[in-house]
Amino acid sequence: MSKQYDILIKNIGQLLTMDDHNGPVKGKAMSTLTVYENMAIAIKDGVIAWIGSNEEASSLSAINTMDAKGKLVSPGLVEPHTHLVFGGSREHEMALKQQGVPYLEILKRGGGILSTVGATKQASEDELKEKAMFHLNRLMSYGITTVEAKSGYGLDAETELKQLRVAKSVNQIHPIEVVSTFLGAHAIPAEYKGKSDEFLEEMLSLLDTIQEEELAEFVDIFCETGVFSVEQSRQFLQKAKAKGFDVKIHADEIDPLGGTELAAELGAVSGDHLVGASDDGIRKLAESNTIAVLLPGTSFYLNKGKFARAREMIEKGVAVAISTDFNPGSSPTENLQFIMSLAALQLKMTPEEIWYAVTTNAAHAINRGHSAGKIVEGLKADVVIWDAPNYAYIPYHYGVNHVNTVIKAGRIVYEGRPTYDKTSIH
Ligand code: IZC
Ligand code: ZN
């Protein structure tokens, strides 16, 4: 008897497998992409079991045969930078933004991140979990099947651990894989004003518990004017590395302090933002294995008119990923497809570069390069069927959701279509 697959997706117009490279895709290598046409894929027991031509697929049988109708099929997208778990929201700060009050000034006045810290302290673990699940569902609806999630809205032992436990528990119950990062060094709480070194020591003292309870893989810091200096960031991340954590850094987001150079120097798994990265910083990144995670949604939302220099980065040989930076302050959106449009329009990235930036390179930015962001026989089946005729169409047709179907580890987890009964509508 011939093999019975669980799912067979036939009639794929364009298939992106994103498996041409073993490691991160750096610089000019990002400009070429293999596109397979008239393809089919079969899934069995949660993994990709077969990839072949649409003609060959006619001899295969499956419990569920799906017709991609000549459209685009890609790996599930990888979202490498979010602040997923938080209480409250910050729409009340919109008027301040409109009056031109800068992001860092709002923070200085006790708002911004510190406003979300207050709401996160107030929220119970169950409330945070429910809210995180809501946002995960929405991230998934946009085609994302793997997500990084940072803490950083506790800034005290109890609340930071509460956030990390929420991230761990939603990873266990939600289809999306959640990869956790400890960002206790996200802001200086009021009670530590003028004593930021002491605060960093307090956050470092949590690393043993985080390790014992397997609450995070990465340690991150917000290296920024009025928050933590380059030297504080260096020492903090070196200590985290000595404990066995891989590190990330919010670098040169608003002011160009030299965090990009630090990310390369420390061998960080990623340097994130990099809006103010210097030429030297870009050169050092190109020579390193650090992924540049660019967050053009934040530049858009902070409205400063300045975007990361993606073109220079790619020309110099940097591996670039992009992300929503989903958070309640500087980038309240789960729509990674909109970020792909911003990457095209503002970062001047090509469609090919953009696809590496949301799959292969994003996966490497969270140490999932060998398990996520590609379609390969034997690998877990994270697959998106798009309502789009080709891969360039996604960044082009902006602001909407192009997802038709999302499959996570072989299970259909999202179907984006109207539910009205056609026969009853006139
Ligand atoms: O809540 O504003 N930049 N951290 C650093 C953020 C933005 C998140 C926030
Ligand atoms: Zn961030």
Side-chain angles (χ1 to χ4, degrees):
M1 206 182 84
S2 74
K3 191 167 177 177
Q4 172 94 331
Y5 293 101
D6 296 329
I7 297 176
L8 175 63
I9 308 172
K10 284 180 152 177
N11 202 12
I12 299 171
Q14 285 195 344
L15 175 66
L16 300 181
T17 58
M18 309 306 294
D19 72 335
D20 289 350
H21 302 263
N22 270 326
V25 188
K26 295 179 89 171
K28 295 193 175 82
M30 293 178 72
S31 65
T32 49
L33 195 65
T34 307
V35 183
Y36 300 91
E37 298 192 332
N38 302 315
M39 297 291 286
I41 56 179
I43 297 167
K44 177 92 179 153
D45 299 331
V47 304
I48 302 287
W50 179 89
I51 305 173
S53 72
N54 200 39
E55 291 77 58
E56 291 170 285
S58 57
S59 64
L60 306 183
S61 73
I63 297 164
N64 181 3
T65 298
M66 303 172 78
D67 182 358
K69 298 188 175 157
K71 292 174 182 175
L72 171 70
V73 169
S74 80
L77 306 185
V78 179
E79 165 51 81
H81 180 141
T82 81
H83 302 248
L84 175 72
V85 182
F86 59 87
S89 54
R90 311 224 290 263
E91 59 274 31
H92 54 277
E93 288 174 2
M94 199 75 178
L96 289 174
K97 271 176 67 83
Q98 287 168 327
Q99 288 156 25
V101 185
Y103 175 83
L104 290 177
E105 175 59 29
I106 297 174
L107 177 61
K108 215 166 145 192
R109 294 181 191 175
I113 296 170
L114 295 174
S115 149
T116 302
V117 168
T120 306
K121 280 189 205 285
Q122 298 253 309
S124 71
E125 206 163 311
D126 279 347
E127 283 163 347
L128 290 177
K129 206 191 283 184
E130 196 176 321
K131 209 161 143 68
M133 291 287 284
F134 175 85
H135 294 300
L136 278 173
N137 281 338
R138 199 178 265 159
L139 287 156
M140 188 170 73
S141 77
Y142 286 107
I144 294 160
T145 52
T146 307
V147 160
E148 186 258 15
K150 301 175 195 299
S151 69
Y153 295 125
L155 311 185
D156 65 28
E158 188 190 333
T159 320
E160 284 295 321
L161 293 174
K162 177 169 78 174
Q163 270 191 284
L164 291 173
R165 287 181 185 125
V166 168
K168 183 170 179 169
S169 84
V170 295
N171 178 47
Q172 284 157 355
I173 53 184
H174 196 279
I176 288 189
E177 180 180 6
V178 180
V179 178
S180 191
T181 296
F182 174 55
L183 178 60
H186 191 196
I188 302 159
E191 57 279 20
Y192 280 93
K193 213 165 180 179
K195 298 185 288 185
S196 57
D197 283 330
E198 265 175 61
F199 174 66
L200 290 177
E201 283 306 317
E202 164 84 8
M203 289 298 106
L204 284 170
S205 75
L206 300 181
L207 292 184
D208 287 336
T209 308
I210 291 170
Q211 219 151 26
E212 276 154 30
E213 291 188 35
E214 297 183 348
L215 291 175
E217 291 178 39
F218 302 105
V219 172
D220 195 347
I221 189 166
F222 190 17
C223 178
E224 188 57 73
T225 305
V227 194
F228 302 107
S229 70
V230 171
E231 194 42 43
Q232 284 178 312
S233 303
R234 176 182 285 111
Q235 288 184 19
F236 181 79
L237 295 178
Q238 269 168 348
K239 287 176 187 162
K241 279 185 74 166
K243 287 260 180 204
F245 288 91
D246 276 327
V247 300
K248 293 173 159 280
I249 174 165
H250 279 69
D252 300 329
E253 173 182 353
I254 296 159
D255 290 333
L257 302 184
T260 309
E261 287 88 335
L262 180 62
E265 173 197 318
L266 291 173
V269 66
S270 70
D272 300 43
H273 289 290
L274 315 181
V275 177
S278 68
D279 290 342
D280 196 40
I282 292 175
R283 191 177 51 73
K284 287 186 170 136
L285 267 190
E287 288 164 4
S288 76
N289 290 320
T290 301
I291 312 280
V293 176
L294 307 183
L295 308 135
T298 307
S299 302
F300 167 77
Y301 201 74
L302 294 181
N303 215 5
K304 309 248 295 190
K306 196 162 179 257
F307 287 79
R309 294 189 290 152
R311 282 265 52 89
E312 279 100 322
M313 291 180 193
I314 291 170
E315 262 132 47
K316 296 268 156 37
V318 175
V320 172
I322 58 171
S323 152
T324 59
D325 192 14
F326 171 61
N327 76 70
S330 63
S331 190
T333 185
E334 297 93 340
N335 188 348
L336 186 54
Q337 295 166 49
F338 174 58
I339 303 303
M340 292 167 81
S341 296
L342 286 180
L345 294 166
Q346 301 290 353
L347 304 183
K348 315 286 183 212
M349 288 171 68
T350 65
E352 294 77 14
E353 291 165 348
I354 290 169
W355 275 96
Y356 281 115
V358 292
T359 56
T360 323
N361 286 353
H364 280 286
I366 53 172
N367 283 353
R368 291 296 185 280
H370 301 290
S371 62
K374 49 176 135 185
I375 295 178
V376 180
E377 277 179 30
L379 211 65
K380 84 181 161 337
D382 294 357
V383 176
V384 179
I385 304 173
W386 300 90
D387 280 322
N390 58 66
Y391 68 90
Y393 191 91
I394 309 291
Y396 148 75
H397 187 136
Y398 86 106
V400 303
N401 189 359
H402 298 283
V403 162
N404 177 290
T405 305
V406 181
I407 297 172
K408 173 66 190 180
R411 184 153 61 108
I412 295 172
V413 289
Y414 183 83
E415 291 177 302
R417 59 183 67 101
T419 55
Y420 68 81
D421 174 4
K422 285 189 198 117
T423 59
S424 68
I425 305 269
H426 303 286

